[in-house]
Amino acid sequence: MESFNNKRVLITGGLGFIGSNLAIRLVQLGAQVTLVDSLIPEYGGNLWNIEPVKEQVRVNISDVRDEHAMKYLIQGQDFLFNLAGQTSHLDSMQNPYPDLEINARAQLSILEACRHHNPAIKLVFASTRQMYGAPRYLPVDEKHPLAPVDVNGINKMAGEWYHLVYNNVYGIRASVLRLTNTYGPRMRVKDARQTFLGIWIRNILTGQPVLVFGDGRQVRDFNYVDDVVEAMLLCAASDAANGEIFNLGADDPANLQDTAQLLVQAAGQGSFALVPFPPDRKAIDIGDYYADYGKIKATLGWQPAVALQEGLQRTLAYYRTDGAHYWEEADHARS
Amino acid sequence: MESFNNKRVLITGGLGFIGSNLAIRLVQLGAQVTLVDSLIPEYGGNLWNIEPVKEQVRVNISDVRDEHAMKYLIQGQDFLFNLAGQTSHLDSMQNPYPDLEINARAQLSILEACRHHNPAIKLVFASTRQMYGAPRYLPVDEKHPLAPVDVNGINKMAGEWYHLVYNNVYGIRASVLRLTNTYGPRMRVKDARQTFLGIWIRNILTGQPVLVFGDGRQVRDFNYVDDVVEAMLLCAASDAANGEIFNLGADDPANLQDTAQLLVQAAGQGSFALVPFPPDRKAIDIGDYYADYGKIKATLGWQPAVALQEGLQRTLAYYRTDGAHYWEEADHARS
């Protein structure tokens, strides 16, 4: 972890959930951190996310679709953690163009900027399990066929492959992490655009019932955000990660009903209810999913350190003290 | 094949190589055919391609990136053969944006137009083996992992998956053909942007040596264009094709040196030479490739009818009489 001391680091989506947690960690490691974020209200950016390090990072409000801004910001950086993305599956189906522009086209222009203006940079791209579609076998490893079920999954697939092709053809060192459900402090809790756990936690803490779709038997795996940050740092620090795709995953997958129960117990308050799948969600649901993370364990020594129960407790503690900065903002946006 | 009599058929890339051969066949089958083509000089469109049916088809010069034109043209059509594409791997690496706009974004806007204005249409999408990358096993079936080696392969991958997702989520009936090397009358022969066989045939007939890259041992499979047209018609006519991906392929794969020899023999003139791989081509070369086409054979009864030697003879015969309309245009474009 000495790799980052005094290094120049750019994080796209840096005011978002994972980006801000990563920024806090990188500041601790002595890095000079610049955060790029568009602060589009529907996405994950929130200035409160960087409250603990706001005097120690440089914030640049801009959109990854802004080719000129990105071209400037990329120059001179040692590392680029490329985390900005449109994450809502439903939004990608209702209007597919912003998803395409952010998750595919902007990635290409970021890589073109690296190729022409900073080919020695090292990239880590935050991808998603979404492109596996409905699993043909479990646990899902990196050799599982790609079969995205929505526009978001397709565009993320394009975005990650641009990184791999630029690594392989141009030697722009890049690695790809296919994230599963990440949760923890600083996640978006206004709605389910980032993860359903966000809206669940908000509902628990604000006295509304948690709604679990279907029979609640769908299995998922969850990573606490600190574990995801660790994986990103390992990828950035090791040349063994170049050109590689790695799944993240957990040792304790759980079905949604059990997860809801665990959350209610951890909170000591609230309740959940099973409700029928909304049709637009059912059409793009993938059934059970959990990953085999053996490749990143073997290659980089990563494994998750925070179990689900512990992670949920830490997350609840954060939103108990800081929650108003997340859901009150939502109320303002609606008014 | 009665499915097409009096039916309204739109072909994007309709003045191109495969599109024009398809149009000629559809006119024979009694269809009312509209061809959309941008006639961009670097791509495959050539008005001479439809000389035999020019009074029986409607030609609409426009670009698939023109959302408004496409929205209008799609309305009222029974079938859409969606063949317009940027095909040059090298061009996609030199400037990736046109490739993205044509092979990914325009596909999305075509599908959005179908969803909102003609959801009963039936689509066939011309995809490519390119997205398999360097084969991990041979012959390559549809379960082979996707691992594109260039930007073109990534964008085509996105384009085909948009079709599948719109089929699965919205019921816009669509099927995908992953073409291998297609050749025959009306292919682009000005250069290697569409297929290396194009420039080979031009060189043979104009007294220039054919250049074979590397040791000439790379294996390829080749489909004569009439066989590809047949596959497209079968996909359009059968609901068993909806939501499916099919490889095309051949029973007589051949290495490049043997193919060059066959071509020289078939022509009764010319010569070939082995030359080192240009570095930009080597970086995106995929090694040996040939497909398993068992799925489309089992599902739709397709198999190739024209062997390579016969197909090359027919192709040479076409360019002996009509070649000037292909390479002289190239000379004009350069002057």
Side-chain angles (χ1 to χ4, degrees):
Chain A
M1 291 299 149
E2 288 149 31
S3 312
F4 303 102
N5 191 30
N6 281 320
K7 289 290 163 45
R8 298 192 62 184
V9 177
L10 188 68
I11 306 176
T12 67
L15 296 175
F17 166 35
I18 300 172
S20 60
N21 281 283
L22 178 63
I24 293 166
R25 180 93 168 96
L26 281 164
V27 165
Q28 291 166 351
L29 294 170
Q32 301 166 37
V33 179
T34 300
L35 308 177
V36 177
D37 207 291
S38 62
L39 284 178
I40 296 174
E42 289 76 21
Y43 300 166
N46 184 332
L47 274 167
W48 188 255
N49 281 343
I50 58 156
E51 183 67 14
V53 293
K54 65 182 177 187
E55 305 301 337
Q56 293 141 280
V57 298
R58 178 177 160 210
V59 173
N60 189 98
I61 305 302
S62 63
D63 193 297
V64 287
R65 288 169 287 191
D66 179 343
E67 285 181 43
H68 301 288
M70 291 308 299
K71 184 167 110 177
Y72 174 79
L73 292 166
I74 279 166
Q75 293 177 46
Q77 301 291 341
D78 297 301
F79 296 97
L80 168 55
F81 292 92
N82 194 8
L83 274 53
Q86 198 298 107
T87 61
S88 166
H89 307 307
L90 282 183
D91 288 358
S92 83
M93 298 302 291
Q94 277 148 17
N95 180 3
Y97 302 116
D99 194 274
L100 174 75
E101 296 295 328
I102 295 167
N103 291 334
R105 192 185 208 284
Q107 305 312 315
L108 202 45
S109 67
I110 287 169
L111 287 159
E112 282 283 285
C114 293
R115 174 186 163 206
H116 292 295
H117 303 289
N118 188 358
I121 200 170
K122 175 116 197 230
L123 290 95
V124 177
F125 178 66
S127 186
T128 164
R129 64 157 167 79
Q130 184 68 11
M131 65 199 62
Y132 293 123
R136 299 189 191 183
Y137 58 83
L138 292 167
V140 172
D141 59 21
E142 293 85 354
K143 297 191 182 102
H144 187 286
L146 303 180
V149 298
D150 55 33
V151 167
N152 178 256
I154 298 170
N155 293 330
K156 288 294 288 190
M157 179 167 75
E160 68 163 42
W161 280 95
Y162 295 143
H163 285 77
L164 296 169
V165 162
Y166 276 65
N167 180 93
N168 297 341
V169 175
Y170 300 120
I172 313 290
R173 296 168 301 158
S175 47
V176 168
L177 286 173
R178 288 192 183 145
L179 309 184
T180 183
N181 288 67
T182 309
Y183 72 101
R186 302 179 179 82
M187 69 182 165
R188 180 179 178 95
V189 297
K190 293 174 192 176
D191 52 40
R193 279 199 168 85
Q194 202 166 68
T195 160
F196 62 89
L197 274 181
I199 189 77
W200 284 15
I201 281 175
R202 179 189 169 176
N203 285 358
I204 287 272
L205 293 180
T206 57
Q208 300 166 66
V210 165
L211 302 181
V212 179
F213 297 145
D215 63 5
R217 301 270 160 219
Q218 309 100 290
V219 178
R220 292 285 181 275
D221 51 1
F222 303 93
N223 281 129
Y224 188 67
V225 64
D226 289 3
D227 286 329
V228 173
V229 164
E230 186 71 13
M232 291 181 167
L233 297 175
L234 288 171
C235 281
S238 167
D239 276 334
N242 298 347
E244 299 293 339
I245 296 167
F246 298 110
N247 280 350
L248 296 189
D251 300 316
D252 52 355
N255 73 38
L256 296 189
Q257 183 170 340
D258 291 346
T259 305
Q261 201 135 32
L262 202 62
L263 186 61
V264 170
Q265 280 166 4
Q269 68 186 91
S271 65
F272 70 92
L274 299 179
V275 297
F277 252 113
D280 54 356
R281 284 194 180 274
K282 185 66 192 168
I284 58 174
D285 183 58
I286 59 160
D288 291 346
Y289 177 90
Y290 50 97
D292 177 344
Y293 66 85
K295 184 180 170 187
I296 190 170
K297 186 175 180 184
T299 311
L300 303 177
W302 180 85
Q303 56 186 346
V306 182
L308 182 56
Q309 187 164 19
E310 167 71 16
L312 289 176
Q313 274 160 358
R314 292 195 208 172
T315 307
L316 286 161
Y318 180 79
Y319 286 98
R320 281 208 169 99
T321 59
D322 291 44
H325 294 283
Y326 294 85
W327 47 74
E328 288 191 356
E329 198 184 348
D331 294 335
H332 293 160
R334 273 206 300 276
S335 64
Chain B
M1 291 299 150
E2 287 149 32
S3 313
F4 303 102
N5 191 30
N6 281 321
K7 289 290 164 43
R8 297 191 63 184
V9 178
L10 188 68
I11 306 176
T12 67
L15 295 175
F17 166 34
I18 300 172
S20 59
N21 281 282
L22 177 63
I24 293 166
R25 181 93 167 95
L26 281 164
V27 166
Q28 290 165 351
L29 294 170
Q32 301 167 35
V33 179
T34 301
L35 308 177
V36 177
D37 207 291
S38 62
L39 284 178
I40 296 173
E42 289 75 21
Y43 299 166
N46 184 332
L47 273 167
W48 187 256
N49 281 343
I50 57 156
E51 183 66 16
V53 293
K54 65 181 176 188
E55 305 301 337
Q56 292 140 280
V57 298
R58 178 177 159 210
V59 173
N60 189 100
I61 305 301
S62 63
D63 194 298
V64 288
R65 286 169 288 192
D66 179 343
E67 285 181 44
H68 300 288
M70 291 307 300
K71 184 167 110 176
Y72 174 79
L73 292 166
I74 279 166
Q75 293 178 44
Q77 301 290 342
D78 298 302
F79 296 97
L80 168 55
F81 292 92
N82 195 7
L83 274 53
Q86 197 297 106
T87 60
S88 166
H89 307 306
L90 282 183
D91 288 358
S92 84
M93 298 303 292
Q94 276 149 16
N95 180 3
Y97 302 116
D99 194 274
L100 174 75
E101 296 295 328
I102 295 168
N103 290 334
R105 191 184 209 283
Q107 305 311 316
L108 202 45
S109 67
I110 286 169
L111 287 160
E112 282 283 285
C114 293
R115 174 186 164 206
H116 291 296
H117 303 289
N118 188 359
I121 200 170
K122 176 115 198 232
L123 290 96
V124 177
F125 178 66
S127 186
T128 163
R129 64 158 167 78
Q130 185 68 11
M131 63 199 63
Y132 292 123
R136 299 188 190 183
Y137 57 83
L138 293 167
V140 172
D141 59 20
E142 293 84 355
K143 297 191 183 100
H144 186 285
L146 302 180
V149 298
D150 56 32
V151 167
N152 177 255
I154 298 170
N155 294 330
K156 288 294 288 189
M157 178 166 76
E160 68 163 43
W161 280 94
Y162 295 143
H163 285 77
L164 296 169
V165 162
Y166 276 65
N167 180 93
N168 297 342
V169 175
Y170 299 121
I172 313 289
R173 295 168 302 158
S175 47
V176 167
L177 286 172
R178 289 191 182 145
L179 309 185
T180 181
N181 288 68
T182 308
Y183 72 101
R186 303 179 178 80
M187 69 182 166
R188 182 180 177 94
V189 296
K190 293 174 191 175
D191 51 40
R193 280 197 168 87
Q194 202 166 67
T195 160
F196 62 87
L197 275 181
I199 188 77
W200 284 16
I201 280 175
R202 179 188 170 177
N203 285 357
I204 287 273
L205 294 179
T206 58
Q208 298 166 68
V210 165
L211 301 181
V212 179
F213 296 145
D215 63 6
R217 300 271 161 220
Q218 310 100 292
V219 177
R220 290 287 181 274
D221 51 1
F222 302 94
N223 281 130
Y224 188 66
V225 65
D226 289 2
D227 286 329
V228 173
V229 164
E230 186 72 12
M232 291 181 167
L233 296 176
L234 288 170
C235 280
S238 167
D239 276 336
N242 299 347
E244 298 293 339
I245 296 168
F246 298 110
N247 280 350
L248 296 189
D251 300 315
D252 52 355
N255 74 37
L256 296 189
Q257 183 170 340
D258 292 345
T259 305
Q261 201 136 32
L262 202 61
L263 186 61
V264 170
Q265 280 166 3
Q269 68 187 91
S271 65
F272 70 91
L274 299 178
V275 297
F277 252 112
D280 53 356
R281 285 194 179 273
K282 185 67 193 169
I284 59 175
D285 183 58
I286 58 160
D288 292 345
Y289 177 90
Y290 50 96
D292 178 343
Y293 67 84
K295 184 180 170 188
I296 190 169
K297 187 176 180 183
T299 311
L300 303 177
W302 180 86
Q303 55 186 347
V306 182
L308 182 55
Q309 188 164 18
E310 167 70 17
L312 289 176
Q313 273 160 356
R314 290 195 209 171
T315 308
L316 286 161
Y318 180 79
Y319 286 97
R320 281 208 168 100
T321 58
D322 291 43
H325 295 283
Y326 294 85
W327 46 74
E328 287 191 358
E329 197 184 349
D331 294 336
H332 294 159
R334 273 205 301 274
S335 65

